[in-house]
């Protein structure tokens, strides 16, 4: 909601899939922190609205939302899985709305 990448990154798995607009790849946690800091530096977050969330039968959950920024509103998608009792983000997407 405020672009606090440091706090957000505490929930990242060591490697995860990141999609920002049309660029999709698997990155390390450190690489993602750098990429997201750059994105939020150019697109200052001003709010977040949760649209939908759910759980799957395999100990995972997802969340879809809208991220309002200084430039436009984006659709976000987050997928996390319970690994050793801690939910870790496996996939994060920021897409054109």
């Amino acid at each position: 909601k405020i672009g606090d990448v440091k706090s957000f990154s505490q929930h990242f798995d060591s490697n995860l899939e990141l999609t920002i607009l049309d660029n999709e790849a698997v990155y390390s946690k450190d690489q993602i922190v750098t990429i997201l800091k750059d994105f939020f530096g150019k697109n200052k977050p001003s709010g977040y609205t949760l649209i939908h969330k759910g759980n799957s039968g395999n100990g995972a959950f997802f969340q879809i939302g809208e991220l309002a920024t200084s430039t436009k509103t984006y659709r976000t998608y987050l997928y996390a899985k319970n690994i050793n009792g801690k939910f870790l983000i496996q996939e994060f997407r920021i897409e054109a709305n």
Side-chain angles (χ1 to χ4, degrees):
K1 179 172 167 173
I2 60 171
D4 182 358
V5 177
K6 183 177 180 182
S7 294
F8 188 41
S9 70
Q10 293 177 15
H11 305 283
F12 292 166
D13 202 347
S14 56
N15 291 297
L16 62 139
E17 184 177 323
L18 175 68
T19 303
I20 295 184
L21 304 176
D22 292 327
N23 300 314
E24 178 182 332
V26 175
Y27 297 99
S28 71
K29 182 176 181 176
D30 291 338
Q31 289 173 308
I32 298 234
V33 168
T34 301
I35 292 166
L36 288 177
K37 281 183 179 179
D38 181 59
F39 178 82
F40 290 137
K42 295 174 184 171
N43 304 278
K44 184 176 174 23
S46 59
Y48 178 80
T49 303
L50 176 66
I51 295 173
H52 184 70
K53 65 180 179 176
N55 296 307
S56 65
N58 64 356
F61 79 92
F62 69 92
Q63 181 173 310
I64 299 169
E66 285 188 345
L67 174 68
T69 74
S70 57
T71 57
K72 63 191 299 183
T73 300
Y74 297 94
R75 169 88 40 152
T76 62
Y77 173 84
L78 179 142
Y79 173 80
K81 193 170 183 179
N82 187 334
I83 299 174
N84 298 323
K86 184 176 179 182
F87 280 98
L88 297 176
I89 298 170
Q90 306 293 305
E91 180 181 351
F92 183 61
R93 292 188 224 160
I94 299 174
E95 301 172 338
N97 199 5

